[in-house]
Amino acid sequence: MDMEASVGVTSTAATEASSVLDIRNLKVSFRTDEGIVTAVDGVSFQARKGRTLGLVGESGSGKSVSTRAVTKLLPKNAIIDPGSAIRLDTGNGSLTDVAPLPANSREIRNIRGGAVAMIFQEPMASFSPVYTIGNQIAEAVRLHRRAALSPLGATETVGDQIAESLRAQNAKLTKQEAWEIAIEMLHKVGISNANLRVDQYPHELSGGMRQRAMIATALSTHPKLLIADEPTTALDVTIQAQILELMGQLQADLGMSIIFITHDMGVIAQVAHDVAVMYLGVIVERGPTRALIEDPKHPYTEGLLQAIPRMDVLSRRLTPVPGDIPSPLERPAGCPFQTRCPKRIPGRCDRETPQEIGLGGGRFVSCFLHE
Amino acid sequence: MTAQPLIEVQNLKVHFPVRGKGLFGGVSGYVRAVDDVSFVINRGETLGLVGESGSGKTTVGRAILRALDATDGQLTFHRNGAGPLDLRMLKGDSLRKFRRNMQLVFQDPYASLNPRMTVRDIIAEPLECLKWGTRQEIDDRVREVAGKCKLNVEHLRRFPHAFSGGQRQRICIARALVSGPQFVVCDESVSALDVSTQAEILNLLMDLQDEFGFTYLFIAHDLSVVAQVSTRVAVMYVGRFVEWAPTRKIFFNPRHPYTKALLSAVPVVDPSREFNPFKLSGEIPNPADPPSGCRFHTRCPHADGRCKAEMPDWREIDGEHFVACHHAERLG
Amino acid sequence: MTDATATVMDTGAETAPKASDQRKLQYYTASQWQLVWWRFRRHKMAMVGAGILILFAVFGIFADFIAPYGPSTRDRSYLMGPPQIPMFWDRNGFSVQPFVHGIETTRDPVTLRAVATVDPNERRYVQFFTTGDKYKLFGLIESRIHLFGVDKGKIHLFGTDELGRDLFSRTLFATGTSLSIGVLGVLVAFVLALIVGGIAGYMGGWIDYAIQRVTEIVRVVPVIPLYMGLAAAFPREWSNIQVYFAMTMIFGLVGWPTLARRVRSHLLAQRGEDYVLAAELSGASAGRVITKHLLPSFTSYIIVDLVISFPYMILSETALSFIGLGLRPPSVSWGILLQDAQNIRAIEQAPWLFLPAAFVVLAVLAFTILGDGLRDAADPYSVKKS
């Protein structure tokens, strides 16, 4: 355990850090009235300890679905293809494939809010309106402390204070202890007067405060992986800046891996170490953030970056990606982007599906132009 | 070309009463959503209005459109050749008739289209309300405007559920333009869209402005979008303007600490640039109980005793550059 | 699957009209009601419910024609007779045409009561479009033709009651009466609800507040004692028609508050929608906003509410008539038929008198299931957002 922690510290800059989550060839479809709709079509990515992976893409690109598959928080009509592998560090340091586990299994329930925590765009939706913030955090803490008794959900620590206090107790924490952890977590996420706020109901907090409280709840059980699904989209820029900074600090402190889902390339550029660009259920390009943004290889990434309005060049004209995103019901044959691609190779892109090609430096692209 | 004003707003105040509970609950206070705001929008120009949620920017737009009633102040519409018109005096039928001159493009392209009407009926609605012409004439006009907004004739038979967000927003724009307005308020009109669609809709709005000479009030929280479309930009904070200037000046030479904070908080798509937002502590105050003096003093790193006590004047610091800050000169 | 799409793409990505295109276009141009229907159609149970209700409605409306006899026609030769089920063969062999056995009335030597005994050697063949009692369909078309009958004597599918009246015929007539009371009651309630809820929802403010409180007062009045009090107050000399309408009025007057609250909340929710503001900013008058935008926006929900409130009306009628405070014989309704079945003799000797209860249960279930299906289908736009 200690060895792993030290690896995490020394290799923050290195490209190869230990994986917390390794998704291979994930395929998720939905049974709908119009037939089977494939939302995620063969996606592979890794989330590494102490690093942030940015998942970026337009609405309907499958970025939320592919991460929700990890905790099986998918609608009932979702089907995870049996060929998919979701290998997750559930706490004991080795990766376990959770793809075949049923959504209501004990293991999955232990993972949710245990090894994997999630935060969402709308914090109100993840809080119950009838309990105080403190109650909800304390409940999460107590629930997953008990979960630690089962081998899969055992939470391992990396020397964090809270985790230390958790580990000190083998049995379930008392209410008082859980309550203290709740106050401590609220304090940690920058909520002033945490011992007063802990008694407030979610609706009594402002948007930014709620987001902080949700982060506190998510991190209170000390997850290995935090999935942040558009956590700042509904916030004002000044508050967004505060939250992004907070998440950065907490990551440095706790060493968890973060998957940051957003449609905002600006946010990605500032918070993610690695980025994966999704389009119509596939990852078209992935790699270290800086290299990817400075030198995009896939025409879609290029188009997406060009479409972003800039503040340093006042041009009055923007460069949209031509065409509309096809409905997931009618995925184009061949490369999913070929219907809008300015560099399309006729007769090739509309027939064959490009495979992911390694470009070196941890970069991968799915495009025939780079063969 | 000398700039001609189209919309003139003087000392606009919009206060919403906060009522106690029950039938006989009295008014217990007022939310000062907009509190003494004055500005002019010139013909053919775009005023970008930015601010955080709760700053009152949407209320300004709705008050000009007479979607809600102003508490105080003057709203003047300078008609072409017919002289100024006091918008607040319009009532009943005359207000309904005048609505053709000012339109709104909403934020949410899903909620703003009636799902039970065909696209044709949605776009035709302003014309039908005006009894603009025969069915044939209305059809022709709808087709013409739909074409301008890059919708084809086939689309007109469909219902909104057949369209994506970007296409829906084009329908909203077509509805806003069909009656030939001079003034269009775009209230966060692109913030619900994906980046690539957003670029397309912004381009469309710009093209239409070039072609028909619309005047826009462009309300947004996204500064980078405002930077692209605006002639001038106004920054709003808790019901008041803090800065107003030509776009270039706002973005390259901001004078108000709040504007600076906003600008630095926008994450830029440049990983080489250090993201070091000018830290603003706390959150936007409740407009029902605004702070004394300068409303920004509770979060401003430069605030002193004067800021707390005295409301700063709205003054021209530089040519066409207005700011409300005691220390604008000192902070440079 | 990908292969299939690939070939489609190959054969003509731009020109050839695809088979799926037609379907897509149909979806794109589908109005609200089409979308509701498509969604509803997939709800198998609700379709069954709707089928049952349609069948009942047909029974009720065409009772004169479908029932072989009138509701009061007596068959003195078959008192308290058990149901006769048409058969195709007996010990005398097979017959293509279904038949029932003949009846012979004998006196029980002990009790001296007339007892119907089956004569297995006599066959009464079932025929369709037979001539029978004269009736006026809808009070207009005079006819003697009935859907079915037997060549000699009478047929009693559900048996007879102690006066020898055909229970099947009576059940059909009762279905008509009970359903129509439900329909009228719901209509009265709906009109009241639309007016009251509409005013409350559209005007808002203190008017809304006052109306809400009145609505609550009506809602808290306990229903059963109220029904009983009102029904007991009907003058004895009122004709059955008068009682019938008085009952629909009572059900309507008691039923409106729930509906009114639904109308109000739908209105309030829709009024705040952007598209309503868009219409107002387009220069639409209040009348136009109400008729073109607000009313269509909640008709589908209101229909659901109406369907769901139906069973209450039917059960109220049944209950009132059962305890003798509603309709009175010679009218027939489900409640009256069940009243006939409420003595120990019926349970012991003539359990078939309970058959109308099955109709009541079936109707209530069908309405509930149908309402469920409609509720799921009522808002075809709900999934589109997100």
Side-chain angles (χ1 to χ4, degrees), chain A residues 160-167 181 184-185 188 220 254:
Chain A
D160 171 72
Q161 277 187 7
I162 301 155
E164 285 293 339
S165 75
L166 281 167
R167 198 167 54 173
I181 291 175
E184 194 186 329
M185 281 315 297
K188 214 174 176 66
S220 63
L254 305 173

Side-chain angles (χ1 to χ4, degrees), chain A residues 194-363:
Chain A
N195 47 351
L196 296 177
R197 297 275 187 184
V198 77
D199 285 320
Q200 285 187 317
Y201 289 90
H203 67 264
E204 295 177 286
L205 302 179
S206 67
M209 282 298 161
R210 258 183 238 145
Q211 205 69 31
R212 284 169 189 267
M214 182 161 62
I215 293 174
T217 317
L219 298 184
S220 63
T221 57
H222 195 255
K224 292 257 168 187
L225 173 65
L226 175 68
I227 297 174
D229 193 346
E230 307 251 9
T232 60
T233 306
L235 300 175
D236 284 310
V237 276
T238 56
I239 311 296
Q240 168 173 283
Q242 293 171 4
I243 298 289
L244 293 181
E245 194 190 353
L246 170 71
M247 289 179 69
Q249 279 170 7
L250 290 171
Q251 187 176 36
D253 276 8
L254 305 173
M256 77 272 186
S257 168
I258 298 180
I259 296 182
F260 200 107
I261 302 170
T262 178
H263 64 273
D264 188 337
M265 266 292 193
V267 172
I268 289 285
Q270 300 304 336
V271 303
H273 301 102
D274 304 291
V275 58
V277 183
M278 288 195 75
Y279 184 79
L280 271 191
V282 297
I283 291 180
V284 293
E285 183 169 7
R286 62 189 170 113
T289 308
R290 187 160 181 171
L292 188 140
I293 288 179
E294 280 169 0
D295 181 22
K297 296 292 186 196
H298 196 283
Y300 176 64
T301 319
E302 229 174 295
L304 202 58
L305 286 167
Q306 274 169 7
I308 297 165
R310 302 174 64 100
M311 286 203 303
D312 46 356
V313 189
L314 309 182
S315 67
R316 216 181 131 78
R317 287 300 304 183
L318 293 155
T319 322
V321 180
D324 281 317
I325 187 163
S327 121
L329 281 173
E330 37 197 89
R331 294 172 61 82
C335 170
F337 188 57
Q338 52 104 346
T339 53
R340 301 169 75 184
C341 184
K343 296 178 181 167
R344 169 175 117 122
I345 309 164
R348 176 101 204 256
C349 296
D350 52 2
R351 283 164 200 270
E352 296 167 50
T353 309
Q355 298 304 310
E356 197 165 68
I357 305 158
L359 300 173
R363 298 195 60 181

Side-chain angles (χ1 to χ4, degrees), chain A residues 59 206 238 242 310 316-317, chain B residues 52 194 207 228 280 283:
Chain A
S59 41
S206 67
T238 56
Q242 293 171 4
R310 302 174 64 100
R316 216 181 131 78
R317 287 300 304 183
Chain B
E52 292 176 273
D194 283 314
D207 290 346
Q228 302 309 313
L280 271 193
E283 299 187 18

